[in-house]
Amino acid sequence: MSEIVEFSPDVARAQQQRRNRQIGSWLTKLSSYLTHSVEFREMDERGRAVFWAELVEVMAEADLPDAAWTSDSIRFCRRQFKFFPCAAELCSALERHVEPVLAAQKQRWEQEKISHSRPRGDGSIPLDERLWLDRFREAVADGFRSLGEERGTNPDEARHSALTLLRQQAPTAYASLDEMERQDRYGRTYA
């Protein structure tokens, strides 16, 4: 039986707070390497706290990916700036840093997808059956959770259903699966 899951605003708030802490921690580490402006150093403690909170909020609104908040990006920014930059300069630098990182990730994901979709054995899997096999392998990578949610069932039943469908609709692709791919979590093989 499936359950209806409501989106809880508390979950979104908790995720945003986690992200804000991540950004704040990253900014703190970066600031320890760079010199601050005279105005910032002369502010009282409360003024600095307000400034810092606003900076975290601005950086969170910039909607940079998680790859922007790593130790590699701190090293990149350390080489770019001598003084702590304004938010616009910081966002620009992070975007420059993240762009090749995301491009490399995308290329790696595409290569993995291609390697999973290559036929095994003699390479005689027809194109339409390779599409069935690709969908099956995407479901395997997801642990059949999405497929189970779509069908209103659990991942084990979704895996069994996907294997049965693959066997019926794409027998050559099904034959290319190894023994482990044909098994459910209890070790039963679907023939």
Side-chain angles (χ1 to χ4, degrees), residues 139-150:
V140 167
D142 181 48
F144 292 92
R145 287 185 291 277
S146 297
L147 189 60
E149 289 173 10
E150 273 180 35

Side-chain angles (χ1 to χ4, degrees), residues 22-93:
Q22 178 185 21
I23 293 168
S25 173
W26 186 91
L27 288 167
T28 302
K29 288 175 188 172
L30 178 64
S31 73
S32 70
Y33 294 110
L34 302 174
T35 305
H36 287 276
S37 67
V38 173
E39 295 86 15
F40 181 79
R41 288 184 301 210
E42 290 177 352
M43 279 185 199
D44 63 345
E45 190 173 328
R46 180 166 165 55
R48 279 185 282 198
V50 169
F51 172 81
W52 208 250
E54 289 173 355
L55 182 60
V56 169
E57 185 178 355
V58 167
M59 297 308 293
E61 288 173 357
D63 200 30
L64 293 163
D66 287 341
W69 313 114
T70 64
S71 56
D72 289 337
S73 61
I74 289 174
R75 283 190 290 278
F76 178 81
C77 288
R78 260 187 8 214
R79 289 189 299 267
Q80 301 294 313
F81 307 108
K82 292 181 182 178
F83 292 93
F84 197 84
C86 69
E89 291 173 327
L90 195 52
C91 286
S92 177

Side-chain angles (χ1 to χ4, degrees), residues 87-104:
E89 291 173 327
L90 195 52
C91 286
S92 177
L94 287 172
E95 286 170 357
R96 284 193 315 272
H97 170 71
V98 170
E99 189 176 326
V101 172
L102 294 179

Side-chain angles (χ1 to χ4, degrees), residues 63-181:
D63 200 30
L64 293 163
D66 287 341
W69 313 114
T70 64
S71 56
D72 289 337
S73 61
I74 289 174
R75 283 190 290 278
F76 178 81
C77 288
R78 260 187 8 214
R79 289 189 299 267
Q80 301 294 313
F81 307 108
K82 292 181 182 178
F83 292 93
F84 197 84
C86 69
E89 291 173 327
L90 195 52
C91 286
S92 177
L94 287 172
E95 286 170 357
R96 284 193 315 272
H97 170 71
V98 170
E99 189 176 326
V101 172
L102 294 179
Q105 279 180 346
K106 183 179 179 185
Q107 185 178 15
R108 189 171 53 249
W109 291 332
E110 287 173 356
Q111 287 174 347
E112 286 176 11
K113 187 175 180 180
I114 288 169
S115 69
H116 286 301
S117 66
R118 286 192 183 128
R120 296 182 182 180
D122 64 356
S124 61
I125 298 175
L127 179 61
D128 61 329
E129 290 195 23
R130 275 190 274 164
L131 296 174
W132 281 95
L133 188 59
D134 288 346
R135 283 191 220 119
F136 176 77
R137 292 222 165 100
E138 286 173 9
V140 167
D142 181 48
F144 292 92
R145 287 185 291 277
S146 297
L147 189 60
E149 289 173 10
E150 273 180 35
R151 296 180 179 183
T153 185
N154 65 43
D156 291 330
E157 290 173 1
R159 181 183 183 89
H160 175 74
S161 175
L163 280 166
T164 302
L165 192 61
L166 186 64
R167 187 181 70 222
Q168 293 170 352
Q169 299 298 321
T172 308
Y174 180 80
S176 74
L177 296 177
D178 63 28
E179 192 66 29
M180 291 301 294
E181 290 175 310

